[in-house]
Amino acid sequence: MEVKCPICAKQVVWAPTSEYRPFCSKKCQLIDLGEWAAEDRKIAGKPAEDGRPTEFDVEEIEAMLAQQSDDFFKH
Ligand SMILES: [Zn+2]
């Protein structure tokens, strides 16, 4: 069985080896998590400049998640 990554629409095999399913990669998973972070910034009055996640955003989110939950990605 295969599913499409909700972020980049790449085919992802739905199997235990696909660690980040339904996302194709950790990056897409983080981008998805970043959707709410972007919303949060908008509410706070600081809209994203172009409305699209960037490499910088992914790193920022990753750092934020690491602070909030050290073992979130280790399970
Ligand atoms: Zn993807």
Side-chain angles (χ1 to χ4, degrees):
M1 177 180 163
E2 285 191 347
V3 295
K4 274 187 182 174
C5 172
I7 302 301
C8 67
K10 190 175 153 182
Q11 293 286 335
V12 182
V13 178
W14 192 273
T17 48
S18 300
E19 195 179 343
Y20 304 109
R21 65 189 187 278
F23 307 100
C24 68
S25 64
K26 185 177 181 179
K27 187 176 167 180
C28 283
Q29 185 185 46
L30 286 171
I31 288 168
D32 188 69
L33 288 168
E35 300 280 308
W36 58 257
E39 277 303 306
D40 209 39
R41 277 202 290 271
K42 245 184 263 173
I43 292 161
K46 284 196 263 173
E49 274 159 67
D50 59 7
R52 299 198 55 178
T54 62
E55 288 295 329
F56 179 77
D57 282 335
V58 170
E59 284 172 22
E60 196 179 47
I61 292 157
E62 206 166 9
M64 186 180 71
L65 288 172
Q67 281 177 349
Q68 289 180 347
S69 173
D70 269 340
D71 56 0
F72 185 83
F73 289 112
K74 290 175 193 162
H75 289 299

